[in-house]
Amino acid sequence: MGGGWVRIALGSDHAGFELKNKILAYLKKKHDVHDYGTHGAEPVDYPDYALRTCDAVVSGAAVFGVLVCGTGVGMSVSANKIKGVRAALCASPETAKQSREHVDANVLVLASSTKDAEKITDVFLNTPFTQAERHVRRLRKVAELEAPSRLSSLRAREVLDSRGAPTVEAEAWAGQWRTLAAAPSGASAGVHEALELRDGGKRYFGKGVTKAVRNVNSILSPSLRGKHVDARALDSVILSVDGTPNKQRIGANATIASSMALWRLQALVEGKALYALLGDARRMPCPAANLINGGMHAGNDLDFQEYLLLPVGARTFSEATEIVSETYRALKGILEKKYGRGATNVGDEGGFAPPLKDAEAPLELISKALDEAGHAKKAKLGLDCAASRLLKGNAYVVESKKYAPDAFADYYASLAKKFPLAYIEDPFAEDAFGEFAMLTKMLGSKLSIVGDDLLVTNTERIKTAIMGSACNALLLKPNQIGTVSEALEAGRLAKEAGWKVVVSHRSGETDDSFIADIAVGVGAEFAKIGAPARGERTSKYNRLLRIEEQLLAR
Ligand code: PGA
Ligand code: ZN
């Protein structure tokens, strides 16, 4: 307004009559004012004069309205109900200025007791609405918040995993909605896994992922931007852009981080829980907790990579977690007493890494811990042998003893007799479908024979294994195949064949808990999520505890 000419509609009730007249006298000097208010201190029906004053503003007869009344509270509330009126109750020049600048208020409401009423009125009338642009931008954002149905951006960056190596984190946006997801990384990765793209060279001991990050930013993002946030459809675009069976062009670390961020984004946009978008099983898995680490995950001489605790007798996931945690604690005490404090250092997946070589000792130790914790009746044991790394020539070597495949199967059978084993993962090398089948025939009715490096979450390999009855359970690791859709398809195939599904972390992890939601969505029997220690492991336990709480509250 800048001090220019304005027409002002002025009104008051009997309580504000005196102040109104004061303002009228003041404004008349500079402005064209029409007094719609009372002409004396007689009681009037206040909606009536308020309406007339506000009407003048709405109809354009006046640019501004000024209302003076008792406390002003009731007045501003009722005036604001009139379409086209934005009434602000102002008590100082500063609030008057803000009401104009930010809200574009067109009716000033003053309480009859207001000091500096003339000054406040001046500031109100002379402050232009400077926030028009911001206002429009805000409205646009609000509109986007309501319907962010298209992918506005996909970006990636290098972050660290739990071994201090770089990994890909993807960030997906739809309007103002953002999700993050990070790729995990295996140490004992199978040779048939999709390609994990690393930079090589000196930087980060060759493990940099800047190429993978660039592939997200400059190849995937332009192909996906603007498309509907339909994760399955976006996964198909990723697959066709990569165009190789093993994600050789883009890198499976780039594709899986992107895919996970996109699935998360769809869940967010649709207001669904992630597990509900991933499948409708809504079943809590039993944790498969790696309590003693060996193989490539620990600096000890244990040949088998993982000694797992399976609290299969627990009725809920939270009870299972309790059993895992209490047994882990008991085990710590036992190790400390027997081998000294150094034996309680932990390996990559949070399990203890005692200086042992004897392959049976960890099974004895965990059984003892179970007894001590009082949970022996509720739990079974499991092994991940990661046997590709035990194969030397034609024989498997454990504790420096060589076993031909048949003898190795007998060895497993003897372990299953001696201990409450319910689970053996990768008992033979990654291409030994026949050897797997031999063991499944021997022990499959009682134990889960789980294919990890053998199957690499790859539907073709799973079909081969189903045909040859090579195992009876799938280890499902999304980053082995590179998109969530393909991982879900692997899970579906396994279930259809009557197999169990074990959704699994990797030895290199981040705090991303995506796999917890996959486990619940696909109805996995087990979630292999490490020991109940280290943030990147507990993030999965904690996510599952939250999901169970949600499911039980229904
Ligand atoms: P990895 O180990 O993540 O190092 O491959 C996990 C497993 O073998 O199950
Ligand atoms: Zn494994």
Side-chain angles (χ1 to χ4, degrees):
M1 297 298 137
W5 183 85
V6 288
R7 275 176 65 83
I8 301 156
L10 185 63
S12 75
D13 65 0
H14 63 283
F17 170 69
E18 263 182 41
L19 180 58
K20 186 227 31 179
N21 275 351
K22 217 171 133 201
I23 293 172
L24 179 65
Y26 175 73
L27 288 179
K28 260 187 170 168
K29 289 183 208 156
K30 300 192 262 182
H31 301 288
D32 184 16
V33 186
H34 190 95
D35 185 2
Y36 288 92
T38 54
H39 294 277
E42 78 278 12
V44 291
D45 187 9
Y46 103 39
D48 182 49
Y49 78 81
L51 202 62
R52 275 186 285 141
T53 308
C54 292
D55 260 350
V57 176
V58 174
S59 68
V63 179
F64 291 108
V66 178
L67 289 165
V68 190
C69 39
T71 63
V73 176
M75 168 51 58
S76 45
V77 170
S78 42
N80 268 313
K81 288 184 183 151
I82 303 169
K83 211 170 168 216
V85 170
R86 289 178 298 283
L89 174 61
C90 299
S92 71
E94 190 44 39
T95 52
K97 186 165 181 281
Q98 286 176 5
S99 308
R100 282 293 304 139
E101 269 182 358
H102 296 285
V103 189
D104 194 20
N106 53 11
V107 172
L108 169 68
V109 183
L110 293 165
S112 56
S113 59
T114 308
K115 302 211 166 48
D116 290 335
E118 291 95 331
K119 178 116 185 274
I120 293 171
T121 312
D122 262 347
V123 170
F124 186 82
L125 300 178
N126 290 320
T127 305
F129 177 47
T130 54
Q131 302 299 318
E133 263 202 43
R134 217 171 81 183
H135 190 61
V136 170
R137 252 186 284 136
R138 204 173 54 219
L139 286 178
R140 207 177 292 140
K141 277 182 192 165
V142 169
E144 281 171 2
L145 279 178
E146 280 162 4
S149 61
R150 287 176 188 278
L151 180 72
S152 29
S153 131
L154 176 70
R155 275 182 288 181
R157 65 176 63 84
E158 244 181 5
V159 295
L160 292 183
D161 74 11
S162 55
R163 278 191 283 250
T167 190
V168 181
E169 178 177 77
E171 183 175 309
W173 290 83
Q176 294 307 297
W177 301 64
R178 182 195 73 159
T179 56
L180 293 172
S185 171
S188 68
V191 296
H192 301 291
E193 290 192 21
L195 174 84
E196 185 180 73
L197 187 59
R198 299 280 183 188
D199 296 342
K202 271 204 167 142
R203 192 175 163 272
Y204 272 124
F205 29 91
K207 293 219 170 223
V209 291
T210 61
K211 286 181 192 161
V213 164
R214 229 176 299 131
N215 287 348
V216 175
N217 294 340
S218 57
I219 302 177
L220 290 184
S221 181
S223 320
L224 297 170
R225 231 183 290 134
K227 296 206 184 314
H228 272 287
V229 184
D230 170 349
R232 216 171 264 283
L234 297 176
D235 273 352
S236 323
V237 177
I238 293 177
L239 291 181
S240 66
V241 169
D242 179 80
T244 72
N246 265 357
K247 316 295 177 299
Q248 238 119 14
R249 179 172 178 222
I250 308 288
N253 41 357
T255 61
I256 194 62
S258 302
S259 176
M260 283 156 58
L262 294 169
W263 278 84
R264 233 183 215 133
L265 190 64
Q266 185 182 343
L268 188 65
V269 164
E270 292 181 0
K272 273 190 183 161
L274 181 57
Y275 60 81
L277 180 68
L278 292 165
D280 29 54
R282 295 183 183 216
R283 170 195 170 134
M284 293 306 296
C286 170
N290 184 357
L291 295 196
I292 294 190
N293 294 188
M296 295 181 80
H297 296 165
N300 57 16
D301 295 320
L302 287 171
D303 294 308
F304 291 151
Q305 183 176 277
E306 301 172 17
Y307 289 86
L308 303 157
L309 176 70
L310 313 165
V312 288
R315 278 157 303 146
T316 59
F317 184 81
S318 63
E319 193 196 339
T321 303
E322 229 173 281
I323 294 173
V324 167
S325 165
E326 289 175 10
T327 309
Y328 183 70
R329 179 60 76 92
L331 181 60
K332 186 175 185 180
I334 293 168
L335 289 171
E336 196 169 331
K337 231 189 256 159
K338 207 159 174 184
Y339 307 103
R341 280 175 62 201
T344 63
N345 291 336
V346 301
D348 285 357
E349 296 185 348
F352 300 114
L356 297 172
K357 190 169 167 63
D358 178 354
E360 288 187 23
L363 294 171
E364 277 156 15
L365 290 162
I366 298 174
S367 301
K368 190 156 181 246
L370 269 172
D371 278 336
E372 238 177 60
H375 297 309
K377 285 205 180 92
K378 290 196 169 167
K380 301 267 184 195
L381 305 182
L383 284 175
D384 179 2
C385 310
S388 292
R389 270 139 214 100
L390 306 176
L391 187 65
K392 310 269 156 28
N394 293 326
Y396 293 93
V397 180
V398 173
E399 294 174 63
S400 314
K401 273 180 261 165
K402 286 187 179 173
Y403 297 86
D406 299 19
F408 210 33
D410 291 338
Y411 172 66
Y412 288 126
S414 74
L415 286 181
K417 259 205 192 119
K418 221 163 152 186
F419 299 98
L421 268 190
Y423 177 116
I424 307 180
E425 178 180 328
D426 281 354
F428 297 99
E430 57 206 322
D431 285 312
F433 284 93
E435 294 167 15
F436 266 82
M438 168 177 62
L439 191 68
T440 302
K441 204 166 167 202
M442 274 170 73
L443 301 177
S445 61
K446 292 200 201 91
L447 272 76
S448 293
I449 307 297
V450 189
D452 173 13
D453 293 351
L454 179 80
L455 306 173
V456 292
T457 318
N458 180 314
T459 50
E460 291 313 309
R461 295 182 71 86
I462 294 168
K463 281 179 199 159
T464 307
I466 292 172
M467 295 251 296
S469 305
C471 30
N472 60 16
L474 163 73
L475 199 79
L476 189 158
K477 289 169 166 171
N479 81 318
Q480 282 183 326
I481 190 67
T483 61
V484 174
S485 304
E486 289 168 291
L488 294 177
E489 177 56 15
R492 199 194 57 76
L493 261 180
K495 284 255 160 191
E496 202 180 75
W499 288 13
K500 288 192 170 144
V501 172
V502 186
V503 172
S504 170
H505 65 170
R506 301 306 305 251
S507 50
E509 269 290 336
T510 68
D511 61 356
D512 192 317
S513 59
F514 200 97
I515 54 164
D517 285 76
I518 295 190
V520 176
V522 307
E525 281 76 8
F526 294 105
K528 196 168 84 147
I529 50 180
R534 301 179 43 139
E536 78 282 4
R537 311 297 148 187
T538 53
S539 79
K540 281 69 167 174
Y541 281 92
N542 294 344
R543 172 68 184 150
L544 285 165
L545 288 169
R546 285 182 212 113
I547 294 176
E548 180 167 82
E549 188 184 78
Q550 271 184 25
L551 293 181
L552 291 177
R554 271 160 206 279

